[in-house]
Amino acid sequence: MSSENMNLTLKVWRQRNGQSQGSFETYQAKSVSPDMSFLEMMDVVNEDLIKGGKDPIAFDHDCREGICGTCSMYINGRAHGPVKGVTACQLHMRSFIDGETITIEPWRATAFPVLKDLIVDRSAFDRIQQAGGFVSVNTGSVPDANAIPVAKACADEAFNSAACIGCGACVAACKNSSAMLFVSAKVSQYAMLPQGDVERKDRVIKMVSQMDEEGFGTCTNTEACEAECPKGISVTNIARLNREYLRAKLTE
Amino acid sequence: MTLDSKIPAGPLSEKWDNHKFKLKLVNPANKRKYDIIVVGTGLAGASAAASLAELGYNVKTFCFQDSPRRAHSIAAQGGINAAKNYRNDGDSVYRLFYDTIKGGDYRAREANVHRLAQVSVNIIDQCVAQGVPFAREYGGLLDNRSFGGAQVSRTFYAKGQTGQQLLLGAYSAMNRQIAEGKIKSYTRHEMLDVVLVDGQARGIIARDLVTGEIERHAGHAVLLCTGGYGNVFYLTTYARGSNGTAVWRAHKKGAYFGNPCFTQIHPTCIPVSGDHQSKLTLMSESLRNDGRIWVPKEKGDKRKPEAIPENERDYYLERIYPSFGNLVPRDIASRKAKEVCDEGRGVGSTGLAVYLDFADAIKRLGKDAVEAKYGNLFDMYKQITGEDPYQTPMRIYPAVHYTMGGLWVDYNLMTSVPGLYACGEANFSDHGANRLGASALMQGLADGYFVIPATLGDYLASVERKPISSDSPEFDAAEKAVKDGIEKLLSIKGNKTVHEFQRELGQIMWNHCGMARNEAGLKEGIEKIKQLRNEFWKDIHIPGTDQELNQNLEKAGRVADFLELGELMMVDALHRNESCGGHFREEFQTPEGEARRDDDNYTYVAAWEYKGEGQPEQLHKEKLDFESVTLTQRSYK
Amino acid sequence: MGSMLKMLNSSIGQKVIMSLTGLFLCSFLLVHVSGNLQLFKDDHGLAFNQYTVFMTTFTPIKIVSYLLYATILIHAINSLLLTMANRKARAVGYQSRKDPRSSSWASKNMGILGTILLIFLITHMANFWYQYKFGDTPWAEYSVDLNSGMVLGEPIVIEGEDLHPHEYVRTDASGNEVNVVVVKNLYAVVKEAFTQPLLVVLYLIGMIALAYHMVHGFQSSFQTLGIRHNTYTPLIRGIGIWLFGIIIPLLFAAMPVYFFLQL
C-alpha cells in the first residue's frame, strides 16, 4: 500500500476572524504518508504548529467519511481538491506528489463570509431551506407509507438530487458563486415526488427569492458545479429548477 | 433517590396506549407559554424540536456544527427498521420487539422496546410523507432489505444514505418551524452545562463557538439529544466532533448514567492503515447480506486472497453459525473477527483484518446488480484504500460505533433530574447490551417524533407557565463555573496537545475496555486513566484564547470530560461480572467461547450517580422484569 | 403582470432575459446570413441591393428591426448588470483558481466574447447601416434582360436629388425588353469596404467571437429556459455547435474574405 512518504509545501490562507484581513502563510508538511487523508495531513501540520507555539490552522471538518458536508477547502484551485467525486476528507495524499506546493483557500463567496482561516459561514444554505425546502406535514398526521406509491424511476431520481450534502463546493467552484446547483437539487427532490407536489410552486418561488437575497451569483451554465460536486449532483437539476420557477411564476 | 422507571401497568402491547391516555396534557393555548431547549440536532433532536414546535411549544435548538443537518446521524448508511410486514415474511410488532430484546441480550426494558417496535411503523409513514426518497420497487411501493440479527426483511433504506435522508427529513421539518418562528436555531454553539433551579432543569450555559461568548438560555425543560460518547475510544466511526460533554456535564449535575460500559463495536469497518489515522470508516452492515467473511485456515498465510483456494479458506461465521451465517448480530461478528485475528489468521499488512468477499455475489447476481446495491460503498472503499473490491475482497475490522449506554431515563425519557430529558443515543434506553443494525435511526426518530411529544406535556403540565429568567443566582453560578473551567484549561500552558491526550485515552480504552475485557485489565485501565487525567490537568497546552473560534479549546473541554467518563465506563465494566451483548468479560464465557450472562445477579440497569470530584460513583440498580419473553442464551446457530 | 416583472428581476428571470434575447438574436442571425448570401450572387449586387430595399422599407420588417436593436441593447446592458452582480457575489477572489476541464472556455468568457461582438456590431453598423441610411451611398441603375433574366453588365452610377428605389420596363435598341432597376448600391459599399485588410481582420475576429459565443450561448439558453431532455438536448447542442457555432460564422466570415480576395 504505502509507498514513500512525501514532503510538501503548503500555502494556506490565514485570517484571524471575519473582520480582519487575511494573507497566505507557507508551511512545510514533512514525511506525509500517502495513505493519510488530506485532513489527517492537516492534523499533523497543526500538531507541529501547536508544538512550535503557533496558532493552528482552523478548518471545518466532522464526519471524515464524506457525508456530513462540513469540510470545505479549496485545494490547488479546486473545490475539495483534484480528485473528482470526493470531499476533502476523502481525498488521500496519494493524489499528490513529493515536493509539491499545495495552495489551500477557503470557499470564496460573498454569501459565505470567512469566519476564521479556512472556515466559512454557510448559514445562507440553511436560510434557503427554511424558505421552503420542506413538505408541510405535521408529525403524526400522515397516511400509510405505501399509500403514496412513487414510480421507481422518480424515486431514484429524487434520491440522486437528495444526495446533496450541502457542502457548498458548487458555490465555491462557480465563477459567479452561484448556488443554483444546491437550490435546484432540493427543489428537484420535491418536484419529482408526489409528496412535494402540493407546495411545488410556492416552494420554488420562495427558495429562489431567498437565494437571491443571500447574494449568490447567477448561473452561466459553465457546469463547473457538477464537475466539482462530491456527490455528482447533475446540472439537469438546474434546468428543472428553471422550469419549475418559470412555470410557477407564469401561472402564479 | 430510588429509581422509578414509571413503566405503566397492564399487558405489554397496551402499555403505551394506556400510558398516553393517562399522561397529563397541556392545553394548546398554553403550549406557547413554555420554552423548550433542545441540545443536539441529529435524528432525535431535530425530530423532537420539529414535533414540539408543531405542537406549539417555543423551541431553541443548539448544535456545535455549522448547520443542524450535519449531525452525525447523517452517516448511518444501511437503513431503518420498521415492523411493517410489507414483505409478508412473518414480521410483526412483536417480532421486532422480540428481536430487539434478544439482540440486546436481555438487558433492555421490555416496555420501552415494545413501544419502539410499535411506533416504528409510524416513523416510516412520517418520513415518506416528508419526501424522504426511500428505495422503491417497480410497483412504486417501498423496498426492504434484511439486516443482521433478524430473519425477516424489515429494513427500509435510501441507497447507502439512509441516515442522511432521514436527517434531512427531520431537518426540513425543523426548517419549517424555524420559518414559522417556533424554533430558534443556534448553530456553532456548544452546551457546557445544565442549569438547575430548585432541582429542576431550567436552562443551559452555551458557548458561541465563533465569538467565544458564554450565553445563558432558560427554558422550562431541557432535552439532551447529543448522541453517543464512543469517541472516548478516539479511533471510531463517530464524527470527529461527536462528544460526551453534554451528557457528562448533565451527569455531574445529577443525571444518572445508565450502563456506561455497553458500547458497540461494528464488525465491518475499513481497517487502520497507520498512526496518523483520525477516523475509522464504516462500511454498511448491509454488505454482510451478500458478502462472505473469511480468513485463511492457516496462520500467517500471506498469499494474496485470490491465490488462496476455496478449501483453504475458513468462512468462520457460516461454519460456526449455520442458520444466521454472515448475518449474526454485530457483537458476535466483531468478537469472532477479533478471535481469528488473535489466532494469527488476520489478513492485510497489520494482520488486523478479515476478508469480506463479493466474488460469489458477483457471480450469482452479476456485477451490475452488486453495483446497484452497493456501488457507493465500493467506491468509498476504493477511495480510502486504493483497492478495488470488485476485483479483490474487502478487508474489514471492527470499530467502535455506538454506545448503548447513556443517561438513565424513565419510560417518559426523563433523566433523574426533573425537567431534563435524554433522547436517541444519548439515553440508555432501548438497546440493552447490544443494538441491532438499522435500529439506531429507528430509536432516534421514535423518541423525537412520537415519544417525547407525548410525554413532555405530562411534566410541563405541573410546571408554572411563567417565563424562566436566566437572571438568577443559579445561572450566575453555572456561568461562573463554566468560565472558570475554560480559564483553568487555558492557564495550564503545558507541553502536550489535546490530540495527544485524546489518542492516549483512546488507546487505554481500546486495550482495557474494548471488545473483550477482564478484571485485571480494567483495574489497570482505571489507574492509567487516573494518571492520564492528572497529567492532562498539569500538562495540557491549548493555543489561542477563549474569545475567538478556538477548535483546540473546544476539543480540550470534550477530552477533559472523556477522561472522567472513560473511568466510569471501566468501573461499570468491572462491576458487571457477566458477559452480555457488547460487554464481553473474558472470565465469563461458555466453553465454546460465547458470552455467558448471569441473569440471576445482573438482570438490571446499572445507573451511576455522580458523588463529587474524586468520589466513587454510587450504583443504583433498576431491576429488569421480563414478563413476555423468556431469558435464554442467545443462539444464532 | 407585476409578478412577471418581479420574475424578470430575479436571478433566474435575468437569465431568462439573456436567454430569450439571445435566441431572438440567433433567429436574426439565420435571416441575416441567408439574406447576405446574395452577396455571392454573380449579378453585380442587384439581388443584394433589392433585398436591402425590402429589408429597409417593408413595415413589418422595420418593426422587427427596431425590436432587434432594442434586443441587442437589452442583451448587452443586462449582461453588464449580471456581470457586476456576479463580481459582487465573489468580492475576494481565489489565488489558485483552476476551472474543471469540463467547463468550456466559451462558457467562462461569454462577457468578453459579448464585448468583442458589441464592438464588432458598432463598427458593422457604422460601416453599412449608417452608411446606407445617412451616408452617401451611391445610386445605381441596373438593366436586366427580361427574357434571359441576366443582369446586363455593371450598373450605371446615377446622381441627383430625391432619388428613390424604383423599376420600370423599357425596350432596348435590339427590341429586347429590359427591366431597369434603380437602387442604392450598398453592394458597392461592401465591396469597397472589404478591400481594407484591417476591417477584414476585425470581421474575422468578430466571427470567431460569434462562433464561441454561439457554441455556449445557444444550448445554454435552452438550459436557462428549463428545456433539457435526454434525447433533445444533444440535438440542441448539435444545432448550437454546427449551425450557429460553425456554419453561420463561416458563411459570414466568407463574405469579407470573398471581397478581399476579389474572387
Side-chain angles (χ1 to χ4, degrees):
Chain A
M1 274 183 303
S2 20
S3 50
E4 292 292 289
N5 283 357
M6 305 178 279
N7 293 316
L8 302 160
T9 304
L10 307 183
K11 263 181 74 187
V12 187
W13 180 260
R14 302 301 308 265
Q15 184 174 338
R16 270 201 89 71
N17 53 46
Q19 289 75 47
S20 61
Q21 290 282 322
S23 62
F24 282 95
E25 297 278 338
T26 305
Y27 305 100
Q28 301 303 321
K30 295 222 166 66
S31 190
V32 173
S33 154
D35 286 332
M36 282 182 183
S37 75
F38 197 84
L39 302 192
E40 284 163 355
M41 182 275 294
M42 295 290 287
D43 289 342
V44 173
V45 170
N46 271 346
E47 284 293 290
D48 285 349
L49 285 176
I50 298 172
K51 294 272 180 192
K54 294 195 185 116
D55 208 21
I57 304 157
F59 62 94
D60 257 336
H61 64 99
D62 201 25
C63 80
R64 298 209 173 187
E65 52 183 285
I67 190 69
C68 73
T70 309
C71 57
S72 49
M73 286 182 190
Y74 201 77
I75 301 164
N76 273 352
R78 308 278 301 270
H80 293 302
V83 179
K84 199 174 156 64
V86 298
T87 54
C89 65
Q90 295 171 296
L91 175 67
H92 282 71
M93 296 314 291
R94 65 180 84 95
S95 304
F96 297 87
I97 48 170
D98 191 23
E100 197 173 342
T101 298
I102 304 175
T103 307
I104 310 170
E105 301 177 70
W107 284 175
R108 292 291 190 195
T110 310
F112 288 168
V114 173
L115 295 176
K116 184 176 185 177
D117 297 343
L118 303 171
I119 298 180
V120 298
D121 178 358
R122 285 169 289 192
S123 53
F125 272 10
D126 285 327
R127 289 188 292 275
I128 292 173
Q129 302 254 61
Q130 287 155 17
F134 47 77
V135 177
S136 298
V137 287
N138 279 359
T139 306
S141 60
V142 298
D144 182 85
N146 264 349
I148 313 169
V150 182
K152 183 168 165 42
C154 290
D156 288 349
E157 265 300 294
F159 173 86
N160 289 340
S161 303
C164 164
I165 56 175
C167 64
C170 46
V171 174
C174 175
K175 72 188 264 282
N176 299 339
S177 307
S178 165
M180 286 286 277
L181 192 66
F182 169 78
V183 177
S184 69
K186 207 68 211 164
V187 166
S188 289
Q189 177 197 345
Y190 292 120
M192 281 179 292
L193 294 172
Q195 297 94 307
D197 198 48
V198 178
E199 295 165 285
R200 190 168 187 165
K201 291 183 185 177
D202 201 36
R203 174 180 306 116
V204 66
I205 289 171
K206 283 182 172 162
M207 287 180 76
V208 168
S209 146
Q210 186 64 37
M211 170 181 85
D212 289 353
E213 221 164 278
E214 297 291 347
F216 291 103
T218 57
C219 177
T220 312
N221 299 323
T222 70
E223 306 186 0
C225 52
E226 178 183 295
E228 299 292 35
C229 173
K231 295 293 153 187
I233 306 290
S234 160
V235 292
T236 304
N237 289 296
I238 296 185
R240 192 179 291 104
L241 169 63
N242 290 332
R243 193 156 68 233
E244 290 288 320
Y245 184 74
L246 291 176
R247 196 177 81 152
K249 275 292 186 184
L250 295 176
T251 58
E252 204 180 8
Chain B
M1 178 182 157
T2 51
L3 290 174
D4 180 3
S5 63
K6 301 205 174 123
I7 294 172
L12 186 64
S13 61
E14 293 166 24
K15 281 182 195 285
W16 176 232
D17 288 334
N18 288 341
H19 185 66
K20 273 197 289 187
F21 180 71
K22 284 185 188 144
L23 289 171
K24 279 176 269 176
L25 298 173
V26 178
N27 125 14
N30 283 337
K31 287 202 177 87
R32 63 186 146 82
K33 293 173 185 156
Y34 291 106
D35 302 321
I36 315 296
I37 288 171
V38 179
V39 185
T41 56
L43 285 182
S47 59
S51 303
L52 293 171
E54 284 163 12
L55 287 173
Y57 297 110
N58 306 309
V59 179
K60 280 184 179 180
T61 61
F62 294 83
C63 64
F64 71 79
Q65 297 92 342
D66 73 326
S67 163
R69 66 175 292 161
R70 305 207 198 279
H72 201 53
S73 309
I74 208 160
Q77 298 167 351
I80 176 166
N81 286 331
K84 282 283 196 186
N85 194 28
Y86 281 161
R87 281 309 177 91
N88 194 30
D89 57 359
D91 199 10
S92 63
V93 166
Y94 191 82
R95 186 174 296 280
L96 175 54
F97 153 76
Y98 181 80
D99 286 347
T100 308
I101 281 280
K102 179 186 170 198
D105 222 358
Y106 307 98
R107 290 295 174 264
R109 280 189 202 135
E110 274 191 339
N112 281 56
V113 176
H114 195 273
R115 172 176 69 187
L116 177 67
Q118 270 177 290
V119 302
S120 70
V121 296
N122 306 103
I123 294 172
I124 301 303
D125 298 344
Q126 186 63 35
C127 296
V128 166
Q130 285 168 346
V132 170
F134 281 116
R136 295 194 176 250
E137 296 178 322
Y138 284 101
L141 302 183
L142 292 161
D143 193 13
N144 291 114
R145 57 163 63 141
S146 55
F147 238 71
Q151 288 177 308
V152 292
S153 286
R154 62 159 77 97
T155 305
F156 295 79
Y157 65 100
K159 278 203 181 153
Q161 284 194 4
T162 317
Q164 141 138 303
Q165 296 310 326
L166 293 176
L167 182 59
L168 290 181
Y171 164 73
S172 74
M174 235 184 101
N175 279 335
R176 177 171 159 240
Q177 296 305 315
I178 293 173
E180 290 189 12
K182 291 305 289 179
I183 294 180
K184 176 112 181 60
S185 159
Y186 294 83
T187 59
R188 293 195 196 269
H189 273 68
E190 182 166 28
M191 183 203 110
L192 293 178
D193 210 356
V194 182
V195 182
L196 270 51
V197 178
D198 300 330
Q200 319 235 349
R202 287 293 179 259
I204 62 166
I205 304 294
R207 180 166 180 268
D208 179 330
L209 299 181
V210 177
T211 63
E213 201 175 323
I214 302 297
E215 300 173 355
R216 303 174 179 198
H217 296 275
H220 296 84
V222 176
L223 273 57
L224 301 184
C225 312
T226 53
Y229 49 88
N231 263 348
V232 68
F233 289 92
Y234 184 64
L235 274 185
T236 68
T237 69
Y238 283 80
R240 292 317 303 145
S242 302
N243 65 82
T245 287
V247 292
W248 188 252
R249 300 204 178 172
H251 174 59
K252 288 170 92 170
K253 278 288 173 83
Y256 294 0
F257 213 114
N259 298 332
C261 79
F262 287 170
T263 47
Q264 180 165 77
I265 318 271
H266 193 289
T268 51
C269 298
I270 300 176
V272 177
S273 71
D275 294 338
H276 51 78
Q277 194 121 0
S278 64
K279 145 99 192 177
L280 293 172
T281 304
L282 177 146
M283 307 295 294
S284 168
E285 188 172 19
S286 62
L287 290 169
R288 287 201 276 145
N289 274 321
D290 290 303
R292 298 179 69 198
I293 294 173
W294 63 276
V295 289
K297 281 186 177 161
E298 286 301 314
K299 273 187 207 174
D301 188 338
K302 287 289 166 200
R303 284 177 290 176
K304 283 195 167 166
E306 299 84 359
I308 301 177
E310 203 59 32
N311 61 4
E312 290 176 41
R313 299 176 176 191
D314 178 14
Y315 295 91
Y316 57 90
L317 288 178
E318 295 172 22
R319 172 171 58 79
I320 307 171
Y321 307 98
S323 80
F324 276 69
N326 293 301
L327 287 176
V328 291
R330 291 173 170 178
D331 53 338
I332 296 177
S334 296
R335 208 152 47 235
K336 291 295 158 192
K338 178 181 173 358
E339 280 171 21
V340 294
C341 291
D342 288 350
E343 288 167 20
R345 296 197 286 148
V347 301
S349 58
T350 57
L352 289 176
V354 299
Y355 289 127
L356 178 62
D357 198 335
F358 284 86
D360 280 0
I362 292 171
K363 227 179 275 166
R364 181 164 44 92
L365 306 165
K367 191 185 166 202
D368 290 348
V370 171
E371 191 175 347
K373 259 181 163 169
Y374 307 113
N376 56 340
L377 297 171
F378 279 33
D379 292 348
M380 186 169 83
Y381 181 84
K382 190 176 176 190
Q383 176 58 31
I384 292 172
T385 62
E387 294 174 0
D388 181 2
Y390 293 106
Q391 307 294 335
T392 186
M394 287 182 178
R395 286 170 297 109
I396 54 164
Y397 198 66
V400 173
H401 172 60
Y402 188 86
T403 51
M404 282 73 70
L407 291 181
W408 180 90
V409 290
D410 63 18
Y411 189 68
N412 294 327
L413 304 183
M414 183 148 63
T415 67
S416 50
V417 173
L420 181 67
Y421 289 77
C423 307
E425 192 181 348
N427 72 31
F428 87 104
S429 74
D430 295 351
H431 306 295
N434 174 52
R435 178 175 66 74
L436 291 183
S439 284
L441 303 182
M442 172 172 69
Q443 187 223 337
L445 291 179
D447 287 359
Y449 281 135
F450 299 107
V451 181
I452 203 75
T455 60
L456 185 64
D458 186 58
Y459 166 74
L460 292 174
S462 58
V463 175
E464 256 194 280
R465 286 189 293 272
K466 62 172 203 262
I468 307 284
S469 164
S470 65
D471 198 9
S472 65
E474 290 87 352
F475 272 95
D476 292 345
E479 185 184 311
K480 184 173 182 306
V482 164
K483 284 183 169 165
D484 289 351
I486 291 173
E487 204 171 303
K488 192 175 164 195
L489 279 171
L490 286 168
S491 67
I492 298 167
K493 300 196 187 303
N495 297 307
K496 277 172 77 170
T497 64
V498 184
H499 197 70
E500 288 171 311
F501 281 107
Q502 201 178 0
R503 287 174 63 111
E504 273 178 54
L505 172 63
Q507 270 306 328
I508 296 172
M509 292 305 296
W510 182 248
N511 292 339
H512 297 272
C513 198
M515 267 190 282
R517 304 151 175 188
N518 62 56
E519 187 182 341
L522 287 164
K523 283 181 171 159
E524 196 190 331
I526 290 171
E527 287 314 309
K528 283 186 178 170
I529 288 194
K530 282 184 173 158
Q531 269 174 24
L532 188 65
R533 197 164 60 223
N534 282 337
E535 196 190 337
F536 177 89
W537 287 105
K538 283 195 193 101
D539 205 23
I540 182 82
H541 170 65
I542 303 164
T545 70
D546 60 338
Q547 296 296 313
E548 61 181 338
L549 199 160
N550 187 339
Q551 294 176 312
N552 277 275
L553 177 61
E554 295 162 25
K555 269 189 240 165
R558 295 168 193 166
V559 171
D561 292 331
F562 278 141
L563 280 164
E564 296 175 3
L565 172 55
E567 183 183 339
L568 180 63
M569 290 168 71
M570 294 223 199
V571 167
D572 186 43
L574 183 62
H575 112 280
R576 191 170 278 277
N577 287 319
E578 64 162 350
S579 293
C580 58
H583 171 62
F584 190 78
R585 280 280 299 272
E586 287 165 351
E587 303 95 317
F588 308 100
Q589 48 183 311
T590 63
E592 302 92 61
E594 300 294 341
R596 184 157 57 78
R597 289 198 321 267
D598 178 354
D599 292 334
D600 292 339
N601 293 307
Y602 290 95
T603 310
Y604 64 75
V605 176
W608 297 89
E609 182 185 359
Y610 185 77
K611 300 301 266 185
E613 212 176 312
Q615 302 296 314
E617 299 225 357
Q618 188 185 340
L619 174 65
H620 301 267
K621 296 177 183 175
E622 180 204 331
K623 194 170 174 317
L624 293 168
D625 295 313
F626 290 91
E627 294 166 7
S628 298
V629 299
T630 320
L631 274 60
T632 55
Q633 195 67 42
R634 284 190 309 171
S635 170
Y636 291 92
K637 298 196 166 170
Chain C
M1 194 62 201
S3 139
M4 272 288 285
L5 282 177
K6 248 194 260 161
M7 185 274 274
L8 292 177
N9 204 23
S10 70
S11 61
I12 294 180
Q14 281 184 299
K15 291 302 297 186
V16 167
I17 293 175
M18 294 308 288
S19 156
L20 292 176
T21 51
L23 285 175
F24 180 66
L25 294 174
C26 283
S27 71
F28 159 73
L29 280 180
L30 261 181
V31 174
H32 192 42
V33 80
S34 37
N36 282 19
L37 282 178
Q38 296 173 93
L39 283 170
F40 297 126
K41 210 170 168 191
D42 188 18
D43 63 351
H44 306 286
L46 172 62
F48 177 74
N49 283 335
Q50 282 183 309
Y51 164 73
T52 312
V53 173
F54 171 74
M55 293 304 277
T56 46
T57 51
F58 186 55
T59 311
I61 298 274
K62 273 169 85 177
I63 293 169
V64 172
S65 67
Y66 288 119
L67 198 61
L68 181 72
Y69 306 143
T71 304
I72 292 170
L73 282 178
I74 293 169
H75 195 81
I77 293 168
N78 200 46
S79 75
L80 191 68
L81 292 175
L82 279 169
T83 306
M84 282 175 0
N86 290 337
R87 287 261 163 88
K88 220 174 107 194
R90 177 166 292 143
V92 183
Y94 291 110
Q95 203 187 53
S96 64
R97 184 170 178 81
K98 273 187 214 129
D99 284 304
R101 252 179 248 136
S102 55
S103 296
S104 70
W105 180 82
S107 71
K108 292 173 291 183
N109 293 288
M110 290 298 275
I112 295 169
L113 293 167
T115 310
I116 297 172
L117 282 174
L118 191 64
I119 294 167
F120 166 78
L121 264 181
I122 292 166
T123 323
H124 181 56
M125 298 277 284
N127 278 339
F128 301 121
W129 177 83
Y130 183 83
Q131 184 71 12
Y132 186 80
K133 286 251 172 179
F134 311 106
D136 46 1
T137 308
W139 285 84
E141 188 186 283
Y142 287 89
S143 302
V144 186
D145 184 332
L146 275 179
N147 288 329
S148 65
M150 293 287 287
V151 178
L152 304 169
E154 287 283 342
I156 306 157
V157 178
I158 54 174
E159 280 172 20
E161 294 292 301
D162 273 344
L163 287 170
H164 62 277
H166 62 281
E167 52 188 285
Y168 56 89
V169 179
R170 72 158 196 244
T171 313
D172 73 357
S174 47
N176 285 333
E177 287 203 312
V178 173
N179 193 25
V180 178
V181 184
V182 177
V183 285
K184 264 192 181 179
N185 196 354
L186 187 62
Y187 182 82
V189 176
V190 172
K191 203 173 160 181
E192 169 66 27
F194 290 141
T195 55
Q196 311 165 51
L198 256 173
L199 196 69
V200 175
V201 170
L202 177 74
Y203 268 64
L204 291 181
I205 292 172
M207 288 311 104
I208 292 169
L210 177 69
Y212 278 103
H213 205 73
M214 287 298 109
V215 163
H216 176 67
F218 187 74
Q219 55 92 8
S220 175
S221 47
F222 285 88
Q223 168 85 355
T224 300
L225 294 175
I227 299 165
R228 193 182 177 100
H229 187 277
N230 285 344
T231 319
Y232 304 120
T233 295
L235 187 73
I236 291 169
R237 282 177 189 245
I239 293 173
I241 293 170
W242 286 101
L243 181 60
F244 288 95
I246 297 176
I247 297 175
I248 292 181
L250 270 182
L251 287 174
F252 274 130
M255 293 164 192
V257 173
Y258 172 83
F259 287 107
F260 185 70
L261 300 177
Q262 301 190 336
L263 292 167

